[in-house]
Amino acid sequence: MARYNDSVCRLCRREGMKLFLKGDRCFSDKCSIERRNYPPGQHGQGRPKFSDYGQQLREKQKVRRIYGVLERQFRKTVDEAAALKGVKGENLMALLERRLDNVVFRLGFVTSRAEGRQLVRHGHFKVNGRRVNIPSFRVRKDDKIELTARGAKAARIEGALGALETRSMPSWLSIDKDLKQGTILADPVRDELTLPIQEQLIIELYSR
Ligand code: SF4
């Protein structure tokens, strides 16, 4: 499957904001946005002007990059969100937030969604007692997320859990640090997404 293999910091610079794709480095002064906050490339320091379509496209790319979702899967998620009751944009964000790679990141087992994706793929997590190695797996209310025997030995997870106090936990999740067990308390809350995302622009883009 096609994957983006270039520097992920370029993606942040393209979107003009921190997308938090590199774990601890994103919080340090080594972050590329801190050093060179302009788009990559020869004309990066010019002043970009976006049409309505351009703005919608950038918003879609931004969200796709934050969650590490490829175009086809993202399109499918937008269609699913549109078929649900309620505000389509909010449904979209809730579906993305419920991805297992995002949830293990939010719970503090890993320092980035990309790391979450990798460790889920490597079989480090169980959902309700069963090993799940599909990063796009969607959790539901009352699900329990735990480590497999392999996950319990992973130094990266141990390190991330050690820094848990420095992370803010959304109200729809809770973690028992001693048991290393996370619980989904409710559906994701839109207002707790701290990144500036205008999801209605994405819905408009796909409604063209
Ligand atoms: Fe983005 Fe993190 Fe790279 Fe900064 S360090 S540019 S937030 S991926």
Side-chain angles (χ1 to χ4, degrees), residues 8-10 12-13 17-23 25-27 30-34:
V8 290
C9 293
R10 284 174 72 92
C12 295
R13 289 178 57 209
M17 60 178 276
K18 290 186 176 215
L19 303 179
F20 298 99
L21 306 174
K22 277 204 126 171
R25 187 186 172 103
C26 306
F27 300 93
K30 289 185 187 158
C31 168
S32 295
I33 284 283
E34 304 286 349

Side-chain angles (χ1 to χ4, degrees), residues 6 28 53 59 66 116 148 157 193:
D6 206 343
S28 75
Y53 171 75
E59 207 61 27
I66 290 172
T148 57
I157 294 178
L193 286 181

Side-chain angles (χ1 to χ4, degrees), residues 77-116:
T77 313
V78 171
D79 290 344
E80 280 180 71
L84 294 172
K85 282 186 194 162
V87 182
K88 292 176 188 173
E90 290 184 12
N91 294 341
L92 171 65
M93 297 316 298
L95 290 177
L96 292 168
E97 279 289 296
R98 283 172 48 205
R99 289 175 56 95
L100 182 57
D101 53 2
N102 175 69
V103 168
V104 297
F105 165 64
R106 293 272 191 206
L107 284 168
F109 284 116
V110 289
T111 57
S112 69
R113 290 179 182 87
E115 192 179 28

Side-chain angles (χ1 to χ4, degrees), residues 150-189:
R150 200 170 169 205
K153 288 187 211 144
R156 285 156 82 180
I157 294 178
E158 199 61 48
L161 286 174
L164 203 56
E165 280 76 24
T166 61
R167 306 269 299 271
S168 62
M169 182 75 58
S171 65
W172 55 280
L173 295 174
S174 81
I175 186 155
D176 184 322
K177 205 176 145 188
D178 298 326
L179 292 178
K180 296 181 182 161
Q181 183 188 73
T183 307
I184 316 299
L185 302 174
D187 287 332
V189 180

